[in-house]
Amino acid sequence: MTAIAFDTYAMVRRLKASGFSEDQAEAITGALKDGRESDLASLATKTDLRESEVALRADLRDVETSLKADLRETEDRLEADLRESEGRLDVKITDLSKRVTDLSHRVDLGMAAGRADMRLLEQRMTVKLGALVAAGIGIMIAAFRYLPPAGH
C-alpha cells in the first residue's frame, strides 16, 4: 500500500506556534496521524483490485463450468425421460391398435352372424309363405271341387 507522507514534526511546531503546549500539540498530531493511517488502511490499492478481479474471474469460470455441467446433466435426464415416454407411448399405441383390430374382427364376425341369421329368417319366411300359398291354393281347389257350380 502506498503511504502519503505526513510531517508530524511540522504539525507539532505549527500547533505550538498557535498557542498549544507541547503535550497538547503532540496529542493532537498523534490523533491526526492515527486517523489518517486508519483511513488509508481501509483503502483498496490497484493491486488489491487486480487480485479481486482475478479471483472473481476464476469464480465466474467455476460457476460457468458448473452450470454447463448441470445443464448437460439435465438435458441428458430429459432426453432419457423422453425416450422412456416414447417407448411407453409406442406400447400403448400398439396395444390400442391391437384392441381396435380385435374389435373390428368382432364387428365383422357379428355382422357375418347377423347376415347368416337374416338369410335363415328369409328362408323360413319363404317356406312359410310357400306353405300359406299352397294351403290357399289347396283351399281354392277344394272349394271349386265341392261347391256347386254357380248358376245351377
Side-chain angles (χ1 to χ4, degrees), residues 2-148:
T2 306
I4 298 174
F6 178 62
D7 189 355
T8 55
Y9 179 70
M11 184 71 170
V12 169
R13 277 187 310 159
R14 205 166 159 195
L15 288 172
K16 280 173 50 178
S18 59
F20 286 94
S21 70
E22 187 162 338
D23 287 340
Q24 288 174 329
E26 286 178 4
I28 291 172
T29 302
L32 285 173
K33 181 182 174 196
D34 291 345
R36 282 183 56 109
E37 286 176 359
S38 68
D39 286 344
L40 293 176
S42 65
L43 294 178
T45 64
K46 287 182 181 181
T47 304
D48 293 336
L49 292 175
R50 271 189 239 110
E51 288 173 359
S52 294
E53 181 184 4
V54 168
L56 183 60
R57 287 183 187 273
D59 288 346
L60 285 174
R61 277 192 299 272
D62 291 345
V63 168
E64 180 183 18
T65 302
S66 175
L67 285 175
K68 284 181 179 179
D70 289 347
L71 185 61
R72 273 188 234 108
E73 181 182 319
T74 301
E75 184 180 355
D76 291 344
R77 250 186 293 127
L78 287 173
E79 285 177 356
D81 289 349
L82 182 60
R83 275 188 242 106
E84 182 182 329
S85 295
E86 285 175 346
R88 285 192 305 239
L89 186 59
D90 286 344
V91 167
K92 287 181 180 180
I93 288 173
T94 303
D95 185 48
L96 184 59
S97 177
K98 286 179 184 177
R99 288 182 182 183
V100 167
T101 303
D102 289 347
L103 183 60
S104 175
H105 289 307
R106 287 181 186 173
V107 167
D108 289 345
L109 288 174
M111 288 183 72
R115 279 190 218 110
D117 286 345
M118 290 296 285
R119 281 191 205 113
L120 182 61
L121 286 174
E122 184 181 349
Q123 288 172 354
R124 285 182 182 170
M125 291 300 291
T126 302
V127 169
K128 286 181 181 179
L129 184 59
L132 282 174
V133 168
I137 291 174
I139 291 171
M140 286 175 66
I141 290 174
F144 287 129
R145 183 184 245 185
Y146 295 110
L147 286 176

